[in-house]
């Protein structure tokens, strides 16, 4: 049967159920055309006023000045907390004066003769089994478990490198428990000083209540002030009861990097209560 160009271009009638489906969503389509669309606040334009600029400048200056001014007292409190738990947990840490020591006030923690417990054959064998287990578990994880797969492999690689070092040159390892503890304190203090600066870039510029900004900043700093000495004590306890074989993975994966992850979590908590109009 001959067909014309008009016949070929004519639309094919939709089935009855197709027309019913389209008729159902027709009111929604007209309503969506009348709704004012507003972009997500993450990609919306931020209106920065002189008042917000003043907050982002003055608040970090105040908090950083207070942290620098009180750093000696802060380190004293941290060391006293660590010494308290060291007695309770059987870790032989003491506070000794050191000329030009790692502490900002010439004081430092020391574990005496137990300051650098080296691993034995049994300890290295257990570490090798743990590394192999982490690689095996990460290889079996599915793609939707990437947030767990890659951290497992990173920890496994760091521990494997540390294990290889202690197999060939265990006596050349220069770090001790006391030095590790003091450096963690310094890193934690540096993180606290950086907190107001980072909040100035991502939180203080939002059109949020000044009291809310002050309260969240104080809560975050208070959390770190309480968290850091207990983090140091946990590291010291692990190293004392196991060996310095685990110091590299503790330092690299559960030191400064872990502090940064804690800050991200606390920042997310603070920003979750911000009004949707805070960026306008």
């Amino acid at each position: 049967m001959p067909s014309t160009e008009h016949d070929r271009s004519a639309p094919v009638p939709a089935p009855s159920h197709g027309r019913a489906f389209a008729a159902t969503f027709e009111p929604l389509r007209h309503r969506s055309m009348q709704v004012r669309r507003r972009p997500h606040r993450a990609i919306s334009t931020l209106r920065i006023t002189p008042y917000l600029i003043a907050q982002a400048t003055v608040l970090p200056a105040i908090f950083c000045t207070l942290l620098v001014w009180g750093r000696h007292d802060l380190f004293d409190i941290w060391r006293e907390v660590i010494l308290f738990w060291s007695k309770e947990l059987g870790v032989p840490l003491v506070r000794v004066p050191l000329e030009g020591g790692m502490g900002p006030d010439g004081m430092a923690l020391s574990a005496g003769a137990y300051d650098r417990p080296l691993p034995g054959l049994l300890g290295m064998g257990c570490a090798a089994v743990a590394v192999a287990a982490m690689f095996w578990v990460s290889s079996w994880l599915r793609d939707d478990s990437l947030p767990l797969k890659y951290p497992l492999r990173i920890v496994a690689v760091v521990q494997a490198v540390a294990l290889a070092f202690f197999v060939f040159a265990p006596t050349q390892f220069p770090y001790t428990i006391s030095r590790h503890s003091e450096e963690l304190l310094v890193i934690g203090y540096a993180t606290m000083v950086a907190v107001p600066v980072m909040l100035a870039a991502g939180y203080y510029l939002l059109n949020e209540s000044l009291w809310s900004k002050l309260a969240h900043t104080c809560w975050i700093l208070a959390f770190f002030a309480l968290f850091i000495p207990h983090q140091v004590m946990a590291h010291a306890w692990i190293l004392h009861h196991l060996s310095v074989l685990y110091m590299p993975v503790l330092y690299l994966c559960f030191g400064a990097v872990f502090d940064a992850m804690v800050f991200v979590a606390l920042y997310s908590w603070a920003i979750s209560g911000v009004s949707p109009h805070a960026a306008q």
Side-chain angles (χ1 to χ4, degrees), residues 10-273:
V12 179
S16 58
H17 67 274
R19 290 194 298 269
F21 183 83
T24 302
F25 285 93
E26 186 66 19
L28 295 177
R29 188 177 69 85
H30 286 289
R31 182 178 300 178
S32 65
M33 297 175 62
Q34 300 173 1
V35 175
R36 178 178 175 268
R37 294 180 177 86
R38 183 167 56 87
H40 191 272
R41 66 187 180 190
I43 59 175
S44 60
T45 302
L46 179 64
R47 297 180 181 179
I48 301 178
T49 63
Y51 179 63
L52 294 177
I53 294 177
Q55 289 184 15
T57 305
V58 175
L59 291 182
I62 293 175
F63 281 111
C64 291
T65 301
L66 291 175
L67 287 171
V68 173
W69 175 73
R71 66 171 183 171
H72 296 297
D73 295 331
L74 183 61
F75 272 80
D76 285 339
I77 294 173
W78 281 350
R79 292 194 181 101
E80 290 300 326
V81 172
I82 293 171
L83 292 177
F84 170 79
W85 285 113
S86 67
K87 294 177 183 179
E88 298 293 328
L89 298 175
V91 180
L93 284 174
V94 294
R95 185 175 177 179
V96 296
L98 295 176
E99 295 183 1
M102 291 163 287
D105 55 356
M107 300 293 293
L109 298 170
S110 176
Y114 303 94
D115 217 2
R116 192 177 59 177
L118 296 176
L121 292 178
L122 178 60
M124 289 190 289
C126 293
V129 172
V131 169
M134 284 187 287
F135 275 117
W136 181 80
V137 171
S138 64
S139 65
W140 280 94
L141 291 176
R142 298 181 299 181
D143 291 339
D144 56 357
S145 301
L146 288 180
L148 179 61
K149 175 185 291 188
Y150 285 114
L152 271 178
R153 289 188 178 180
I154 291 172
V155 172
V157 168
V158 173
Q159 190 57 54
V161 173
L163 181 62
F165 178 88
F166 279 97
V167 167
F168 295 103
T171 59
Q172 301 300 318
F173 190 71
Y175 294 94
T176 60
I177 296 177
S178 57
R179 181 177 178 182
H180 175 79
S181 301
E182 286 294 332
E183 289 189 357
L184 280 184
L185 290 178
V186 175
I187 291 173
Y189 172 75
T191 302
M192 290 185 63
V193 174
V195 163
V197 179
M198 292 186 288
L199 290 178
Y203 183 47
Y204 294 159
L205 290 176
L206 296 177
N207 191 17
E208 188 72 356
S209 169
L210 175 61
W211 294 111
S212 177
K213 296 176 182 178
L214 291 173
H216 282 111
T217 305
C218 291
W219 276 113
I220 293 175
L221 292 176
F223 181 89
F224 274 108
L226 182 65
F227 165 75
I228 290 168
H230 292 87
Q231 177 192 33
V232 173
M233 191 62 240
H235 284 210
W237 186 87
I238 293 172
L239 296 174
H240 173 70
H241 288 282
L242 296 179
S243 69
V244 292
L245 171 62
Y246 300 95
M247 187 179 291
V249 72
L250 288 175
Y251 185 83
L252 295 176
C253 299
F254 299 97
V257 174
F258 189 77
D259 292 347
M261 295 173 63
V262 170
F263 169 76
V264 171
L266 293 174
Y267 172 78
S268 301
W269 162 73
I271 208 73
S272 63

